[in-house]
Amino acid sequence: MSTKILKYETIAFDLRKKILSGFYKQNDQLPLEKEMCEEYDTSRITVKKAMDQLVLEGLVVKRRGAGTFVKDVENPDADVLQSMQFMGFSEENKHKNVSSDILKFEIINPDETTLNKLRISELDFVYHIIRVRKIDKKPHALEECFMPINLISGLRMDIVASSIYTYIESVLGFSIQSAHKTVSAVMPTEFEKEYLAIEDVAPILNIEQVAYLDNGQPFEYSNTKYRADKYEFHAINIR
């Protein structure tokens, strides 16, 4: 598996951190490509790839003839929420009775979307996990996630049934840094209605997430469906 952090990823991570920490504020212009080439001692092509990554994440926008600017994430039309501080389901509900029903735990070759989100090759394998997250034995979320097996090694059924994030930080020694989330309302499938115990025909919330370690490497791609009556989303924009 190719887990080496490339130069453009390092640059993108550094700029991402500066944006989310407030060093670069909303609508600020980023340094010109020539200036960044000198700062990071690299080529224009590498800088361009880093900027394209930030555009893809919804953090910056390129304006023809003017340069690259930090996107206004407080715009109500923006569909991207960024957080430098976030927790997993277990930690968010640590004072409640949290449990999980594991519906699937397997190792697979990921599809193209997952490859791109995790920045891995088509020869790599990932954990494929589907689990129902419960509070007081009542379903709150249906989570499907993918993690590279050569990065997040040693996952077991008991870990998946409790807290994967705790295992990543406490046992593997990684530091989880940030997440890129897109929140949307979707109609539930029959499968989702069954495991979320939904009877009415009403939208549910889907949170698509790519989570990153502190070196800028993505370690998780997930889609989590939440019952709309059981979930409140709070965004923290600055660590």
Side-chain angles (χ1 to χ4, degrees), residues 63-74:
R63 298 174 185 170
R64 185 183 296 274
T68 304
F69 295 80
V70 178
K71 192 173 181 180
D72 182 0
V73 297
E74 292 183 352

Side-chain angles (χ1 to χ4, degrees), residues 23 44 54 69 106 189 222:
F23 182 86
R44 281 180 177 264
L54 296 179
F69 295 80
E106 60 183 354
T189 64
S222 66

Side-chain angles (χ1 to χ4, degrees), residues 157-202:
M157 188 71 74
D158 59 322
I159 298 169
V160 175
S162 55
S163 174
I164 299 176
Y165 280 18
T166 298
Y167 171 77
I168 289 173
E169 294 197 304
S170 300
V171 178
L172 297 183
F174 293 132
S175 178
I176 298 173
Q177 181 72 21
S178 61
H180 172 198
K181 302 181 180 183
T182 301
V183 183
S184 58
V186 298
M187 296 303 296
T189 64
E190 291 301 318
F191 178 81
E192 292 159 354
K193 288 171 64 176
E194 176 184 355
Y195 285 101
L196 288 175
I198 298 173
E199 296 181 358
D200 298 332
V201 180

